[in-house]
Structure formats: C-alpha cells, structure tokens
Amino acid sequence: DAGVTQSPTHLIKTRGQQVTLRCSPKSGHDTVSWYQQALGQGPQFIFQYYEEEERQRGNFPDRFSGHQFPNYSSELNVNALLLGDSALYLCASSRRGNEQFFGPGTRLTVL
Amino acid sequence: DAKTTQPPSMDCAEGRAANLPCNHSTISGNEYVYWYRQIHSQGPQYIIHGLKNNETNEMASLIITEDRKSSTLILPHATLRDTAVYYCIVRSHQYNQGGKLIFGQGTELSVKP
C-alpha cells in the first residue's frame, strides 16, 4: 500500500515565476492538506481540500491556490514567487478528520 | 498559535526510555492530543493520539493526565533512529474544526550512544 507521494522532490525557480506541486494521497484517503515548512520552523498549514473544494485555509495570500481532482489527488500552485517562498512543501492525507499522514515533501528553492 | 508547550531539546541514552513532556493547559473537551515526529528533512511521521485514556501502540505510549492539561510521550527503548523533532499537537476531530494541525517548535530529541 503506497503512502502519500509528492512530486517533484526538488525544484528551483526564479522570482516571479509560477510553480505547481503535486500530491497523491494514501489509498483510502479522501482529504488532502498542504503545509509550508521554512528552515528551522514547524510546518504551517496552507489549506485543506475535501470533495474537490477548499475547506479550510491558513494565513497565506491568494498567490497560493490549489485543486483536488476526482481521484483525490491534489495540486498546490504558487504564483509570482518570492524569495520567501523557499521552503519544504508538505502534503498530508487523511480520511475525513482522522489522523493525517505526510508525504516526503517537495523542496522549493526560489532564486 | 500552537496550544502546546514543549521543552526545546532533550537528550536520552540509547536503550533507555525517552519521556517527552507536553503542556496543553487550554485544551478543550473535544480536542485530542496528537504526537508527530520529524526526522531531518523528511515529512512528519504520525506516532500516536489520545483523548483522555492512556494509549499504546508499537511505536510509543501516551500518558495523559487526569485533568488533560499535560501529557507525556514515552519511547520505551530509544534507539539512534529515534533522534528527531517531536511535535505535540492538540486537534479537534469535529470535521469543520479538525482540518489543520498547528505545529509549535517541538522538542529536539537527541539519542546518544
């Protein structure tokens, strides 16, 4: 049984560009949450998707958007990248409100 | 803001029990205590959660005080591979409240030979 998978593993972008990160949830899970983890900090909640809709959102600007597909996989899009967007982006899946299981993350570097 | 307080760091000798404390004095009745750990540059790993009774699984034991204002995660026989940052999180299971995990700074546990 595959766990949560994320792609790509690493990504380098320049300021002003746009990026799309992808997440496939654990089998049987229907809810996907995204987190941003800056170096030396704990993960910060970005948003959560369930039934293809954004259900909760953390304190992130509209440059951060997402999508959930009918197969429960999800994308995180970040527009107009800033240097401060450099971080590890984590996806977590769960079955409704139950415990969340995290993927290995995507390391984004903005130059 | 995180609703939990943890010591920033702890050491433990290999083979001994590691006891990681967490204070959550403002926990409400419908909130569970969750523990995750994060080994350097990997995604957080779920360890255990509980509401008010003590819980045990293959990884750890969770002891919650009767007033639910604090808890302790116990790794019974710590190994070098248990070196990680451990996060204690309180979270509601009500779906419209239970979406997000709010991480604090966690406890950096160093297991030494």
Side-chain angles (χ1 to χ4, degrees), chain A residues 25-75:
Chain A
K26 188 176 169 64
S27 178
H29 288 185
D30 56 13
T31 302
V32 173
S33 303
W34 287 92
Y35 294 79
Q36 179 196 65
Q37 186 172 24
L39 203 59
Q41 303 294 318
Q44 300 295 306
F45 176 76
I46 304 175
F47 43 52
Q48 182 184 76
Y49 278 83
Y50 171 69
E51 290 186 337
E52 302 180 50
E53 289 189 14
E54 183 181 295
R55 299 291 178 169
Q56 280 194 320
R57 189 179 182 93
N59 189 25
F60 279 82
D62 292 344
R63 298 187 296 110
F64 289 77
S65 63
H67 188 78
Q68 186 179 35
F69 299 93
N71 67 352
Y72 308 117
S73 67
S74 176
E75 288 182 350

Side-chain angles (χ1 to χ4, degrees), chain B residues 22-71:
Chain B
C22 179
N23 288 321
H24 31 79
S25 58
T26 61
I27 193 170
S28 58
N30 67 349
E31 288 181 321
Y32 287 69
V33 179
Y34 275 75
W35 284 84
Y36 283 80
R37 73 180 182 184
Q38 188 172 26
I39 297 170
H40 182 63
S41 294
Q42 298 181 18
Q45 178 188 23
Y46 166 79
I47 301 173
I48 198 168
H49 74 279
L51 182 62
K52 52 184 176 183
N53 297 321
N54 298 336
E55 302 287 345
T56 295
N57 62 21
E58 64 280 3
M59 289 183 67
S61 295
L62 174 60
I63 308 297
I64 302 174
T65 58
E66 193 168 343
D67 64 8
R68 303 209 322 123
K69 292 185 177 182
S70 65
S71 61

Side-chain angles (χ1 to χ4, degrees), chain A residues 74-94:
Chain A
S74 176
E75 288 182 350
L76 164 65
N77 300 291
V78 187
N79 294 322
L81 284 167
L82 304 174
L83 295 179
D85 295 331
S86 294
L88 180 66
Y89 287 85
L90 295 160
C91 166
S93 74
S94 61

